[in-house]
């Protein structure tokens, strides 16, 4: 019998209803693509509230602010305005919210700055320079990735240096001093009162783990129910933090995770599929519900997805089904070159728009790497089809915006060295690069912030006047911050800093655009101040500059709305997860591209590439087109790739074309292009002079340690060893760094030289 007042349950199928109403104890919801996951998650929260649980005792963790907003809006339709007091948001935003209250307990100011990627890059560059290290060896991106991975795995600088495996790996890659960079980076962030994105997670864990003044028990008591969306995307650090809130004596363990192991595609940023695969082991009493009915896609698309994913060995077994019509079979486009692929995909878009009356906004082109977009952009422009690249330059990454925001950041937190360096001589005030470097050096030597140096050290007469004026200007902003809201303060800063006047002096179209961008920022701050809705369960909204800076620092591309509504969307498959379109084109389906050549050495990475393909094809509602090119221009040469192995995994009954996709040489004349494998460094090797059309891969079983082999991408190398999984360690003398590659021989395409 339907419970009175719970009519929303009637909108659910039987398994969805069970997942919504089973609110006590650990619950795992395995949600296939298009299975109504968001509805189940939001109705579950609404149901918990309707059962008498105060909204502020519910913690719902998502991966985008947009998902959190949509969740609250849906809950509000069921339970009313109380939904706004649910703690729903991203891991980063909600952990930052808690740290704003508690950071002082672990040595950070509550008004800490959140460093973006550019800030982190700048700090690391300064450290590399101070240690006199080779920037080519200690590549900024590689160092940042190493530090990020350490934090995601709960490895502090002290633990890092004591981990022989990590240290050995760094020595092997000729970067033995990464541990020192990590130590100095952590120290500089702490001294600057700053946290990067990884720190928001790591310092939250530290806060709960160290438990100063019983803070862990405080939040354990507050959050009676915890829900985690997209659980397959969590990393070790996120799951460990959740456990600190859930696992304690007398805990009811009211944790609900929602996710799909078949859509776990973010290992490159630290996510681990182990979290969802092992959840039943961690919580043996868990109730598991599998949402297997797909409401999004037609039968042929669903069948193809099932056929592909069954090839993965480690997974939670399920079979997605749909009661929708069969629909159109999956189309397959075989092109001779990538240019032809771009043209044929664009031709197909025009044809399908006319045949099926599709809007541009109902069409998406998905690719494995962002660099593939160029050829499709060119042809869409020729056909006068409007498009949008998803994941372009963020509004908040524009220079004029970052400059003004840097003044705001320094006003809120004067220990923020990166903000200070950005604007100490902008607009120009005769404080040169040499003076700034001297200030930075004094700060490092005395473990002070650069602001403290400015206010305590006496400089020479030439710089002294400018520094005094700068300090007075920023101090005036700090004084105003005590009484003004974010919009009033931002307007004051834009005028008094000289930025507004400087930008208005440039009357070029680009200059006018920059002025418009600054005005758009001020408008956004005004909207933030005027918004009276409750924020993340707070009874009183915070209109301060500190609150606004936190809001924008945690925004992602997924939170931005496009001003162009009827455009074809071009994006990477990673960016497409969670989205859906009537018509989807998955392009570049070739070996070494999709799956990526970087995945070929590891069965686990091949499985992740297959999950990525699974995500790609399940974005389509009605029309799915797959395309590949027999040749592709890469690194100044023509490369010939076989069609992706994933195409072989789709049964012919789901395809409307019997185009041969077997692995063979291209069936068209091949130009005699010589492979010129020059070394990427100062050392030189002769060109190998290989004709790709005559290159012939040797059988994998014939390759033995000690042999010299040729690879079309890496050049000539020597096989050092082969392990029991037939993974060869090969030293390629044509590479400038990371010369030793580990390659699975089954897919390696190596030609024996001797």
């Amino acid at each position: 019998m339907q419970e009175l007042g719970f009519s929303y349950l009637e909108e659910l199928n039987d398994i969805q209803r069970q997942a919504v109403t089973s609110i006590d104890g650990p619950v795992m919801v395995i949600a296939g693509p298009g299975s109504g996951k968001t509805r189940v998650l939001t109705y579950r929260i609404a149901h918990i509230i309707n059962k008498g649980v105060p909204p502020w005792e519910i913690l719902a963790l998502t991966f985008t602010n947009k998902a959190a907003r949509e969740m609250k809006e849906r809950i509000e339709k069921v339970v009313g305005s109380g939904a706004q007091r649910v703690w729903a948001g991203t891991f980063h935003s909600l952990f930052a919210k808690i740290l704003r209250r508690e950071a002082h307990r672990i040595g950070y100011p509550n008004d800490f700055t959140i460093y973006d990627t550019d800030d982190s890059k700048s700090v690391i560059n300064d450290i590399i320079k101070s240690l006199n290290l080779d920037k080519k060896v200690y590549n900024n991106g590689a160092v940042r990735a190493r530090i990020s991975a350490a934090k995601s795995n709960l490895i502090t600088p002290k633990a890092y240096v004591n981990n022989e495996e990590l240290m050995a790996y760094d020595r092997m890659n000729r970067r033995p001093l990464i541990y020192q960079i990590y130590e100095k980076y952590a120290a500089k962030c702490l001294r600057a009162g700053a946290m990067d994105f990884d720190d928001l997670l790591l310092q939250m864990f530290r806060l709960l783990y160290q438990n100063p003044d019983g803070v862990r028990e405080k939040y354990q008591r507050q959050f009676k129910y915890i829900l985690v969306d997209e659980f397959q995307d969590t990393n070790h650090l996120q799951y460990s933090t959740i456990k600190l809130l859930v696992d304690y004596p007398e805990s009811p363990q009211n944790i609900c995770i929602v996710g799909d192991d078949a859509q776990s595609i973010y290992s490159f940023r630290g996510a681990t599929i182990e979290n969802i695969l092992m959840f039943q082991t961690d919580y043996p009493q868990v109730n598991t519900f599998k949402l297997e009915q797909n409401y999004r896609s037609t039968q042929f698309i669903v069948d193809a997805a099932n056929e592909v994913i069954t090839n993965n060995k480690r997974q939670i077994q399920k079979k997605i089904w749909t009661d929708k019509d069969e629909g159109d079979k999956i189309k397959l486009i075989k092109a001779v070159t990538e240019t032809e692929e771009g043209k044929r995909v664009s031709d197909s878009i025009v044809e399908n728009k006319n045949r099926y009356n599709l809007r541009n906004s109902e069409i998406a082109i998905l690719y494995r790497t962002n660099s593939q977009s160029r050829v499709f952009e060119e042809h869409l422009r020729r056909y006068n089809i409007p498009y949008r690249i998803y994941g372009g330059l963020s509004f908040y990454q524009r220079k004029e915006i970052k400059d003004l925001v840097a003044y705001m950041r320094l006003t809120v937190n004067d220990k923020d060295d990166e903000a200070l360096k950005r604007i100490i001589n902008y607009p120009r005030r005769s404080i040169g690069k040499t003076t700034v470097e001297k200030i930075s050096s004094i700060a490092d030597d005395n473990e002070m912030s650069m602001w403290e140096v400015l206010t305590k050290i006496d400089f020479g007469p030439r710089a002294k006047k400018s520094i005094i004026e700068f300090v007075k200007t920023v101090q005036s902003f700090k004084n105003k911050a005590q009484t003004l809201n974010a919009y009033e303060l931002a307007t004051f800063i834009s005028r008094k800093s000289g930025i507004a006047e400087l930008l208005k002096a440039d009357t070029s179209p680009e200059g006018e655009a920059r002025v418009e961008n600054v005005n758009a920022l001020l408008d956004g701050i005004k909207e933030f101040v005027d918004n009276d809705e409750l924020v993340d369960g707070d009874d009183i909204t915070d209109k301060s500059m500190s609150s606004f800076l936190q809001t924008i620092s945690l925004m992602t591309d997924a939170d931005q709305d496009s001003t162009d509504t009827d455009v074809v969307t071009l994006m990477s498959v990673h960016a497409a997860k969670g989205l859906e379109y009537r018509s989807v084109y998955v392009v570049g389906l070739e070996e070494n591209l999709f799956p990526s050549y970087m995945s070929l050495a590891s069965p686990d990475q091949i499985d992740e590439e297959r999950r990525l393909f699974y995500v790609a094809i399940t974005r389509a509602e009605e029309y799915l087109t797959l395309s590949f090119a027999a040749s592709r221009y890469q690194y100044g040469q023509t490369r010939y790739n076989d069609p992706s192995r994933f195409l072989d995994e789709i049964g012919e009954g789901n395809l409307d074309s019997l185009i041969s996709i077997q692995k063979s040489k291209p069936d068209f004349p091949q130009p005699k292009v010589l492979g010129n494998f020059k070394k990427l460094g100062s050392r030189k090797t002769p060109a190998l002079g290989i004709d790709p059309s005559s290159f012939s891969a040797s059988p994998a079983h014939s390759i033995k340690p000690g042999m010299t082999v040729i690879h079309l991408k890496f050049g000539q190398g020597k096989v050092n060893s082969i392990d029991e999984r037939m993974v060869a360690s090969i030293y390629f003398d044509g590479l400038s760094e990371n010369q030793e590659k580990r390659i699975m021989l089954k897919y390696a395409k190596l030609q024996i030289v001797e």
Side-chain angles (χ1 to χ4, degrees):
M1 182 177 176
Q2 183 68 52
E3 294 183 71
L4 188 64
F6 296 162
S7 59
Y8 53 90
L9 297 178
E10 296 175 355
E11 300 177 27
L12 307 172
N13 64 34
D14 289 343
I15 195 71
Q16 289 175 334
R17 191 177 303 113
Q18 292 176 46
V20 165
T21 56
S22 301
I23 65 174
D24 296 322
V27 170
M28 178 165 68
V29 180
I30 302 300
S35 62
K37 169 182 72 80
T38 304
R39 173 176 289 186
V40 168
L41 189 60
T42 54
Y43 280 11
R44 180 180 172 85
I45 296 173
H47 195 70
I48 292 172
I49 295 172
N50 275 342
K51 284 291 188 177
V53 177
W56 53 88
E57 293 184 355
I58 302 171
L59 176 66
L61 295 160
T62 69
F63 276 84
T64 68
N65 295 307
K66 182 179 179 181
R69 286 196 304 270
E70 290 176 353
M71 188 185 300
K72 285 187 176 183
E73 289 168 2
R74 291 195 185 196
I75 300 169
E76 189 169 7
K77 291 178 181 177
V78 179
V79 302
S81 60
Q84 293 298 324
R85 302 189 69 184
V86 173
W87 278 59
T90 65
F91 281 86
H92 292 90
S93 65
L94 293 185
F95 287 1
K97 177 181 173 60
I98 292 173
L99 288 167
R100 288 291 181 206
R101 302 174 176 180
E102 315 288 355
H104 63 282
R105 303 181 191 276
I106 53 173
Y108 283 85
N110 286 357
D111 276 338
F112 58 86
T113 295
I114 299 175
Y115 275 175
D116 64 12
T117 301
D118 288 343
D119 297 321
S120 296
K121 279 183 179 179
S122 178
V123 174
I124 290 173
N125 277 337
D126 287 348
I127 295 170
I128 291 172
K129 184 177 180 180
S130 70
L131 293 174
N132 294 315
L133 300 176
D134 186 339
K135 289 184 178 180
K136 292 181 179 179
V137 176
Y138 286 87
N139 174 273
N140 191 299
V143 173
R144 284 192 302 113
R146 198 80 176 131
I147 292 173
S148 177
K151 291 180 180 179
S152 295
N153 285 284
L154 272 175
I155 298 171
T156 62
K158 184 176 181 180
Y160 194 105
V161 74
N162 291 323
N163 187 312
E164 181 51 37
E165 184 179 347
L166 295 178
M167 298 293 286
Y169 182 89
D170 290 342
R171 288 194 295 270
M172 182 182 72
N173 286 282
R174 299 187 300 133
R175 300 188 188 108
L177 298 183
I178 281 184
Y179 78 95
Q180 278 194 31
I181 300 174
Y182 186 13
E183 287 176 344
K184 290 180 177 295
Y185 178 75
K188 289 196 77 165
C189 286
L190 179 60
R191 194 163 68 243
M195 298 186 195
D196 62 22
F197 269 36
D198 294 312
D199 282 324
L200 295 175
L201 307 181
L202 182 62
Q203 300 306 329
M204 179 67 184
F205 175 87
R206 181 181 160 213
L207 174 72
L208 296 176
Y209 184 77
Q210 294 181 354
N211 195 28
D213 301 323
V215 72
R216 183 166 70 232
E217 288 82 357
K218 171 184 174 181
Y219 289 101
Q220 286 172 342
R221 287 193 303 271
Q222 176 172 343
F223 300 128
K224 302 292 196 310
Y225 289 85
I226 296 177
L227 301 92
V228 186
D229 191 15
E230 304 286 6
F231 188 72
Q232 78 281 347
D233 295 337
T234 56
N235 60 31
H236 175 63
L237 173 55
Q238 288 165 322
Y239 190 24
S240 298
T241 306
I242 293 165
K243 282 183 172 182
L244 288 177
L245 292 170
V246 173
D247 295 345
Y248 57 92
E250 311 302 324
S251 169
Q253 293 191 328
N254 292 330
I255 177 173
C256 172
I257 66 161
V258 181
D260 181 7
D261 60 295
Q263 298 185 64
S264 177
I265 60 174
Y266 291 119
S267 66
F268 68 92
R269 68 183 189 195
T272 171
I273 195 173
E274 298 297 328
N275 288 350
I276 194 166
L277 292 179
M278 299 303 293
F279 190 78
Q280 289 173 299
T281 302
D282 293 343
Y283 297 94
Q285 306 303 315
V286 65
N287 278 328
T288 301
F289 303 97
K290 297 179 182 179
L291 308 183
E292 296 173 302
Q293 182 175 0
N294 182 300
Y295 292 94
R296 173 188 300 156
S297 306
T298 55
Q299 187 70 57
F300 285 124
I301 296 171
V302 169
D303 287 349
N306 281 328
E307 288 172 336
V308 168
I309 204 63
T310 53
N311 290 277
N312 274 11
K313 299 295 184 287
R314 299 181 66 216
Q315 58 179 297
I316 298 171
Q317 292 299 322
K318 60 184 175 299
K319 188 171 181 64
I320 305 304
W321 62 276
T322 183
D323 60 7
K324 297 184 76 169
D325 295 337
E326 284 187 335
D328 284 21
K329 287 190 175 184
I330 299 167
K331 292 181 173 60
L332 190 63
I333 294 176
K334 177 182 179 180
V336 174
T337 66
E338 62 187 304
T339 300
E340 185 190 357
E341 182 188 29
K343 182 181 186 305
R344 294 190 62 186
V345 166
S346 300
D347 285 340
S348 176
I349 288 175
V350 172
E351 179 185 348
N352 288 343
K353 281 181 64 179
N354 294 329
R355 177 181 296 178
Y356 303 119
N357 195 29
L358 294 172
R359 298 192 305 274
N360 292 321
S361 59
E362 296 175 317
I363 303 170
I365 300 175
L366 309 183
Y367 33 72
R368 179 62 181 82
T369 64
N370 287 313
S371 60
Q372 291 170 253
S373 71
R374 178 191 58 80
V375 68
F376 300 101
E377 290 186 70
E378 289 178 359
H379 285 90
L380 290 174
R381 282 199 296 268
R382 291 176 190 172
Y383 285 81
N384 200 28
I385 298 174
Y387 66 88
R388 175 174 70 109
I389 301 289
Y390 190 95
L393 183 65
S394 165
F395 175 81
Y396 290 100
Q397 293 302 310
R398 292 179 169 90
K399 179 184 181 301
E400 61 272 16
I401 302 302
K402 290 181 73 72
D403 290 337
L404 183 51
V405 167
Y407 271 102
M408 300 176 192
R409 282 171 44 176
L410 190 63
T411 300
V412 170
N413 173 19
D414 57 29
K415 294 181 179 179
D416 188 344
D417 288 352
E418 295 310 305
L420 188 147
K421 284 192 289 185
R422 185 177 188 94
I423 47 88
I424 189 171
N425 196 39
Y426 180 81
R428 291 189 180 278
R429 50 174 64 89
S430 302
I431 304 177
K433 182 179 179 181
T434 302
T435 302
V436 175
E437 289 177 348
K438 180 181 178 182
I439 295 167
S440 179
S441 178
I442 294 172
D444 287 342
D445 292 344
N446 293 277
E447 296 188 352
M448 302 165 63
S449 70
M450 291 177 69
W451 176 260
E452 288 179 285
V453 174
L454 295 182
T455 57
K456 294 180 179 179
I457 304 297
D458 194 12
F459 289 86
R462 184 173 178 182
K464 183 175 182 179
K465 181 180 179 182
S466 297
I467 289 174
I468 290 174
E469 288 179 359
F470 174 70
V471 169
K472 284 183 177 179
T473 298
V474 175
Q475 192 60 57
S476 72
F477 299 160
K478 294 169 71 67
N479 294 338
K480 290 289 185 181
Q482 305 300 315
T483 56
L484 301 182
N485 63 35
Y487 173 70
E488 293 165 340
L489 181 59
T491 303
F492 182 80
I493 290 174
S494 69
R495 289 200 320 267
K496 296 298 183 181
S497 65
I499 288 180
E501 183 179 357
L502 180 66
L503 293 178
K504 287 177 181 176
D506 182 356
T507 57
S508 69
E510 294 79 11
E512 290 175 357
R514 285 189 280 270
V515 172
E516 290 174 1
N517 286 337
V518 168
N519 288 335
L521 173 64
L522 296 176
D523 290 341
I525 301 176
K526 185 67 164 64
E527 183 179 7
F528 169 82
V529 169
D530 290 344
N531 184 359
D532 290 328
E533 293 181 4
L534 295 175
V535 178
D536 294 334
D538 280 346
D539 292 320
I540 301 174
T541 52
D542 183 355
K543 306 300 185 182
S544 69
M545 181 60 73
S546 176
S547 179
F548 172 75
L549 290 174
Q550 175 178 314
T551 301
I552 63 170
S553 65
L554 296 170
M555 293 183 74
T556 65
D557 284 334
D559 302 315
Q560 304 291 328
D561 293 324
S562 172
T563 54
D564 298 317
T565 54
D566 192 30
V567 293
V568 173
T569 301
L570 280 67
M571 70 176 91
S572 70
V573 182
H574 282 101
K577 194 160 87 66
L579 304 176
E580 56 188 45
Y581 298 87
R582 284 184 68 192
S583 177
V584 168
Y585 292 79
V586 186
V587 300
L589 284 164
E590 302 136 36
E591 289 291 298
N592 297 313
L593 183 56
F594 200 170
S596 165
Y597 74 90
M598 292 186 293
S599 70
L600 300 183
S602 165
D604 287 343
Q605 290 183 22
I606 288 290
D607 280 357
E608 175 149 336
E609 290 286 302
R610 184 176 287 108
R611 292 193 295 269
L612 190 61
F613 182 55
Y614 177 83
V615 166
I617 62 181
T618 55
R619 300 310 93 198
E621 298 174 355
E622 299 177 56
Y623 312 108
L624 175 61
T625 304
L626 311 176
S627 74
F628 65 97
S631 68
R632 192 169 292 274
Y633 202 66
Q634 292 178 299
Y635 310 110
Q637 304 170 57
T638 300
R639 303 292 191 190
Y640 300 100
N641 295 322
D642 287 327
S644 171
R645 70 193 68 192
F646 301 147
L647 293 174
D648 281 338
E649 296 170 359
I650 298 176
E652 289 185 354
N654 292 313
L655 299 172
D656 81 340
S657 169
L658 295 181
I659 290 176
S660 174
I661 57 174
Q662 73 268 20
K663 308 295 187 279
S664 64
K665 291 184 179 179
D667 54 2
F668 54 89
Q670 300 182 45
K672 299 293 183 180
V673 179
L674 296 182
N676 184 20
F677 297 96
K678 295 179 180 178
K679 284 206 63 166
L680 302 175
S682 56
R683 295 166 57 198
K684 297 180 179 179
T685 55
L688 295 176
I690 305 168
D691 181 350
S693 65
S694 63
F695 177 89
S696 178
S698 304
H701 62 80
S702 65
I703 297 173
K704 307 295 181 186
M707 286 183 170
T708 298
V709 295
I710 292 173
H711 187 282
L712 278 175
K713 174 175 176 58
F714 302 129
Q716 183 168 299
K718 185 174 182 179
V719 181
N720 292 333
S721 64
I722 302 175
D723 67 19
E724 68 278 1
R725 296 174 301 158
M726 294 297 287
V727 175
S729 295
I730 305 174
Y731 185 93
F732 291 97
D733 54 12
L735 302 179
S736 64
E737 58 183 69
N738 194 23
Q739 285 99 333
E740 187 169 77
K741 300 286 185 182
R742 287 174 52 79
I743 299 179
M744 182 170 282
L745 291 179
K746 182 178 178 182
Y747 305 115
K749 293 187 183 177
L750 297 167
Q751 180 176 324
I752 298 172
V753 177
E754 58 185 60

